[in-house]
Amino acid sequence: NLPRPTEASPVPRGFILQPTYRVRDGVPVVQLFGRLEDGPAFWVEDDRFRPYFFVPIAQRDALPRGPALSIEASELRELDGGAVARVTLPVPSALPPLRDHIARPLEADIRFPYRYLIDRGIRAGVDIDGPSASPRPGLLHFANPALQPADCRPRLRVLCIDLETTPDASAIVSAALVGDGADEVHLVSARAVAGALCHVDERALLAAILARVRALDPDILTGWNVVDFDLQTLVARCRARRVSPDLGRVEGAPLFQRDAGFTRQGRAVLPGRVVLDGIPLVRDALRLPDYRLETAARAILGRGKHMDADIADKAGEIERLYREDPAALVAYNREDARLVLDILEREGLLDLAIERSLLSGMQLDRVGASIASFDLLYLPALRRKGFVAPSVDTERQSTEVHGGAVLDSTPGLFANVAVFDFKSLYPSLIRTFNLDPLAHALAGDGAIVAPNGARFSRSEAILPEIIEHFMQRRERARAAGNRHADRAIKIMMNALFGVLGAASCRFFDPEIANAITSFGQQTLHWTQAAFEAEGADVLYGDTDSVFVQLGPGPLAAARAQAEQLRDRVEAAIAEQIRARYAREPRLVLELERVFERFFMPRVRGGRSGSKKRYAGLCNGTLEIVGLEAVRRDWPSVAGRLQRGLLLRLFRGEPVQPFLREVIESLRSGALDAELVYAKRVRKGSLERYTATTPPHVQAARKAGGRAGPVVRYVITRSGPEPLLPGRALSAEIDRSHYLERVLRPVAEAILSHVGEHFDDALDRPRQLALL
């Protein structure tokens, strides 16, 4: 047992990995699993807490009476000021039936273990004050300790698991375990194989894997598609071989769930551990053509799997290696696991997840749940103010929330264009104007009136304080060079507006969400007017950014002019806020960059400027936004042409020689590998495409189910043809399609601004081309 803490023996501090609960002998027991900052894993159990919710005082008589039910008047209030009663129940499962008796239950949908944490103001870091026991080496058990919120930076143990199976996954032949304390491959083999720990049969392999996981005691299990394949396969094979699939820190079978959102992301729940699948971690952070391990590894690490990417039947190749070259299979298996860990390490994705958990209190595999994160931040502060929150209205329909303003653009080629950006615009507007659910509920005389008419209290608010705290933490993170904390805070602050605009948030109110965007729209228009009052032309603006034409001359002089403009425009906007709203502005206008050369295209087939699409040269680097070169649904030859034309144009070099070179390479077949389209099947299944049949759907149907969710195809003279692994490109590629439908529109969007034409590069008389 640990001694009682003293000044010389501080209270143990830990990081919560998993809040959950069990009902034991009719008593709910909150369970918190995690790791202490100084090393050991911990397991907190508290059987003193009971589930509860609130009802409007006038509705308490609608509740059935019973000896286990406690109904007491509360000093807390609804947001509209109404009195409430607190209803306490014996077990969490008793709550849902009671909700049906109440027209308007309050806080009746908060999960029991999170209710426990919210009431204590605890997020992911916790001080644990109480005696402990050690049920097994490396695990400390605390019973009914005193808990306090804390700041904790743990070193979590990570283990990657990767399985190789028969083609139908009816047997596991190999399993790699790579991570803290492990770099091993387990293989079913009657003879020794270099680099492997061999087992006589699958049952022995399964028992060895489970024993190693328990001995290594990871906090995080990871892998590539580890939830939907590796762990589900492992559990299925354990049950088939009558082996108990004990993968957790304590007793309990793995549980598989699927999130209800658009992604339908799978989750695996292991007692005391967290499973983080590499695919959603990378998908949330990086934009890639697809999210196969080979694609991600090549893009991030510059290396790939130990198998030729062109092999069509990878499952068959694994079976062949197992039969003919098991040492090669072992190396392949180990490298797959290493690739996952190296990708996560290179991009800092596990560190980012930890920082987001520390900020919000959500467990690591749910840090993307922004609405639940908002509850963990907002509800404790609301309680301190003396109020309770509504439950989520599951039947509420989504209401339109207006977006940010987008200014008309001026198409053309320009020199010396400055981009000014408001730092964290929506969070800054929330701070400036008290844009907050509580402030909206308590608005009275003298309230702040938003451009959309919504009213907010000048004195009572919660969100501005939360954002102020986040901004201070972000400045400290930046000063310390902690890029993961900096990024995590940015994600959290930007999510606050999105949450308030979501019908599934308990605090959703279109008046609040539209108040934020209407203030943003007003600010952008004020900014445009302020620059124009200074004699500077605004070429474009979008939500929180404006693109401003500076004077001619050297770049250094343009930068100095941009800095002076920034100061004067920020001061002008601040003065308007003080004069109109009697509020101290929290808006900061930053000079983001100065483009030496800048290109704003026209809308295709029109004369006006496009929106959210531009390119510029900054410090010699080409930056492209929204154009074909950065769109995944265009063949890469479009990017080759567009980047090449823009660079030459920006550097004052002739463009026709390069254009002719690309055209000739296309016609000769030298660029065939760059003619592949890649498009996702977004309707879920091919059968749902009935009204129209887009080219990628035609190709997918020809592939017979082998194309995957992202269809790769080329256009041939007989239509779209799928590109499958191991197959050569079609010899019937319709190069005229790519010439006219890909190269021509990309080139003409640029050439039209300099008086040149695509047909000039074709050596085709222009008059005939127009007939």
Side-chain angles (χ1 to χ4, degrees):
N1 289 1
L2 287 180
R4 296 293 297 177
T6 65
E7 288 187 3
S9 175
V11 171
R13 177 166 296 177
F15 177 86
I16 298 172
L17 288 164
Q18 185 184 71
T20 185
Y21 77 96
R22 294 288 182 271
V23 176
R24 187 180 296 144
D25 297 326
V27 175
V29 182
V30 174
Q31 297 182 319
L32 307 177
F33 293 95
R35 183 166 291 279
L36 295 180
E37 204 167 36
D38 59 359
F42 70 82
W43 170 24
V44 167
E45 290 195 305
D46 193 333
D47 62 6
R48 300 165 296 181
F49 189 65
R50 296 293 179 269
Y52 68 89
F53 68 107
F54 297 93
V55 298
I57 199 76
Q59 296 183 26
R60 61 181 172 180
D61 292 338
L63 290 166
R65 293 297 190 266
L69 193 68
S70 170
I71 306 174
E72 299 175 322
S74 172
E75 294 181 355
L76 301 172
R77 293 290 183 268
E78 290 189 75
L79 289 175
D80 65 4
V84 301
R86 173 171 164 153
V87 184
T88 305
L89 307 110
V91 290
S93 60
L95 195 154
L98 280 180
R99 278 196 307 238
D100 297 337
H101 290 273
I102 300 299
R104 197 159 43 83
L106 307 168
E107 297 190 5
D109 50 3
I110 300 172
R111 294 173 58 198
F112 181 57
Y114 283 107
R115 172 87 274 174
Y116 178 88
L117 295 175
I118 287 170
D119 284 8
R120 287 154 181 76
I122 295 170
R123 297 179 192 172
V126 62
D127 280 340
I128 310 170
D129 187 354
S132 69
S134 183
R136 64 168 177 77
L139 178 64
L140 295 178
H141 178 257
F142 295 86
N144 292 339
L147 303 180
Q148 292 291 332
D151 188 21
C152 177
R153 290 293 186 276
R155 185 190 179 281
L156 302 181
R157 297 182 184 177
V158 182
L159 181 67
C160 182
I161 182 168
D162 184 81
L163 304 183
E164 305 301 341
T165 70
T166 55
D168 61 357
S170 62
I172 298 172
V173 298
S174 176
L177 299 175
V178 178
D180 286 337
D183 186 0
E184 59 203 48
V185 177
H186 296 258
L187 183 72
V188 176
S189 176
R191 59 184 179 83
V193 174
L197 300 169
C198 295
H199 307 278
V200 294
D201 57 23
E202 185 188 37
R203 193 176 195 281
L205 177 140
L206 293 169
I209 294 171
L210 296 170
R212 285 297 288 152
V213 170
R214 291 192 294 269
L216 293 165
D217 196 25
D219 302 297
I220 298 171
L221 270 179
T222 190
W224 206 258
N225 200 28
V226 68
V227 173
D228 290 338
F229 179 73
D230 299 273
L231 289 181
Q232 293 213 33
T233 300
L234 179 62
V235 170
R237 296 311 303 154
C238 282
R239 288 170 177 159
R241 293 292 188 179
R242 299 183 182 278
V243 176
S244 180
D246 295 328
L247 287 164
R249 251 183 192 132
V250 297
E251 184 179 347
L255 175 66
F256 295 98
Q257 303 172 337
R258 193 159 297 280
D259 287 344
F262 170 77
T263 63
R264 302 292 295 158
Q265 181 179 319
R267 296 179 63 238
V269 181
L270 307 180
R273 309 191 202 282
V274 173
V275 179
L276 293 182
D277 201 313
I279 294 177
L281 287 175
V282 172
R283 184 184 288 120
D284 288 347
L286 301 171
R287 185 173 181 177
L288 299 174
D290 59 67
Y291 293 90
R292 296 175 298 169
L293 180 57
E294 172 73 11
T295 302
R298 291 287 178 191
I300 297 168
L301 304 174
R303 73 179 201 270
K305 295 158 70 79
H306 282 356
M307 183 181 289
D308 191 334
D310 290 332
I311 292 176
D313 184 5
K314 290 183 171 55
E317 177 65 6
I318 288 170
E319 190 172 42
R320 185 194 69 77
L321 289 176
Y322 178 59
R323 191 173 57 248
E324 300 175 10
D325 191 355
L329 175 63
V330 168
Y332 169 80
N333 193 184
R334 177 181 275 112
E335 179 64 4
D336 270 13
R338 283 176 173 163
L339 287 173
V340 176
L341 288 180
D342 288 350
I343 287 170
L344 300 182
E345 174 66 25
R346 176 72 59 86
E347 295 298 320
L349 298 180
L350 294 181
D351 288 335
L352 177 61
I354 290 170
E355 290 295 339
R356 293 180 69 181
S357 180
L358 288 167
L359 281 172
S360 68
M362 295 303 297
Q363 62 194 68
L364 290 172
D365 61 342
R366 298 192 70 231
V367 292
S370 54
I371 292 176
S373 298
F374 187 91
D375 279 351
L376 289 178
L377 293 169
Y378 200 89
L379 291 178
L382 186 67
R383 177 63 55 84
R384 290 193 295 271
K385 297 279 190 179
F387 294 93
V388 299
S391 297
V392 175
D393 183 353
T394 57
E395 297 182 359
R396 177 169 50 203
Q397 297 297 311
S398 182
T399 305
E400 182 181 6
V401 175
H402 304 298
V406 180
L407 305 179
D408 291 337
S409 67
T410 304
L413 285 163
F414 306 92
N416 294 345
V417 173
V419 182
F420 297 90
D421 181 271
F422 282 101
K423 180 180 178 182
S424 302
L425 176 62
Y426 287 162
S428 297
L429 292 171
I430 290 171
R431 293 173 68 209
T432 299
F433 299 108
N434 262 12
L435 308 180
D436 169 81
L438 180 62
H440 186 51
L442 301 182
D445 294 339
I448 300 167
V449 182
N452 71 325
R455 296 164 57 81
F456 298 87
S457 167
R458 291 181 175 272
S459 58
E460 292 293 340
I462 292 173
L463 272 185
E465 296 175 4
I466 293 174
I467 292 171
E468 174 69 26
H469 174 68
F470 278 170
M471 286 186 163
Q472 291 174 0
R473 287 187 64 161
R474 190 177 184 193
E475 290 304 320
R476 291 196 297 270
R478 284 179 166 180
N482 188 340
R483 64 185 181 93
H484 303 302
D486 179 14
R487 186 176 171 195
I489 296 167
K490 179 180 179 180
I491 292 170
M492 182 66 68
M493 288 198 303
N494 287 340
L496 294 177
F497 162 70
V499 165
L500 291 174
S504 53
C505 173
R506 71 181 71 249
F507 298 104
F508 171 71
D509 186 330
E511 280 202 343
I512 301 174
N514 285 319
I516 297 172
T517 55
S518 67
F519 269 120
Q521 294 163 5
Q522 175 177 270
T523 301
L524 190 68
H525 289 297
W526 281 357
T527 305
Q528 180 183 24
F531 274 111
E532 291 174 349
E534 294 288 339
D537 290 335
V538 174
L539 301 177
Y540 178 57
D542 186 352
T543 307
D544 59 355
S545 301
V546 288
F547 295 69
V548 178
Q549 174 72 75
L550 303 173
L555 187 62
R559 289 183 184 277
Q561 179 193 3
E563 291 287 0
Q564 293 170 2
L565 282 171
R566 190 212 71 80
D567 293 343
R568 292 198 292 268
V569 168
E570 183 185 273
I573 293 170
E575 186 55 39
Q576 280 194 282
I577 292 172
R578 294 187 186 102
R580 181 173 296 192
Y581 295 100
R583 298 290 295 178
E584 189 58 31
R586 302 303 185 105
L587 300 177
V588 176
L589 184 63
E590 297 180 313
L591 174 60
E592 185 178 313
R593 61 172 61 84
V594 176
F595 285 116
E596 301 129 64
R597 300 297 300 276
F598 181 75
F599 170 63
M600 176 65 73
R602 297 185 180 94
V603 295
R604 188 159 295 164
R607 305 301 299 171
S608 60
S610 65
K611 297 178 179 180
K612 302 182 185 295
R613 302 172 69 243
Y614 57 85
L617 192 69
C618 182
N619 298 324
T621 300
L622 179 64
E623 297 184 20
I624 296 177
V625 173
L627 300 178
E628 291 79 4
V630 294
R631 287 180 53 178
R632 289 182 289 182
D633 56 347
W634 277 70
S636 59
V637 70
R640 170 192 288 270
L641 178 65
Q642 195 169 66
R643 289 188 179 93
L645 289 176
L646 287 169
L647 278 173
R648 285 160 179 79
L649 198 63
F650 288 163
R651 293 170 180 168
E653 301 171 2
V655 296
Q656 286 289 343
F658 172 74
L659 178 56
R660 288 190 177 94
E661 176 187 322
V662 173
I663 290 172
E664 288 308 312
S665 296
L666 172 70
R667 285 170 163 170
S668 71
L671 299 181
D672 282 358
E674 297 183 21
L675 305 183
V676 180
Y677 288 93
K679 193 162 185 178
R680 180 174 293 274
V681 177
R682 298 200 177 275
K683 290 189 178 181
S685 68
L686 299 177
E687 291 71 24
R688 299 181 66 180
Y689 288 86
T690 55
T692 60
T693 308
H696 70 294
V697 174
Q698 297 177 45
R701 286 174 176 167
K702 290 180 180 180
R706 291 172 291 169
V710 178
V711 183
R712 292 165 54 82
Y713 66 97
V714 293
I715 299 297
T716 70
R717 285 187 283 273
S718 58
E721 288 292 332
L723 180 63
L724 299 173
R727 290 191 181 179
L729 283 165
S730 171
E732 300 297 313
I733 288 178
D734 183 1
R735 296 189 182 92
S736 65
H737 163 87
Y738 292 93
L739 188 68
E740 295 297 327
R741 300 293 184 89
V742 177
L743 296 193
R744 180 182 288 277
V746 168
E748 287 184 341
I750 298 170
L751 297 176
S752 64
H753 290 277
V754 291
E756 299 191 31
H757 300 269
F758 185 73
D759 286 324
D760 294 338
L762 298 175
D763 295 324
R764 181 187 300 173
R766 198 178 305 156
Q767 293 87 343
L768 294 179
L770 295 174
L771 296 177

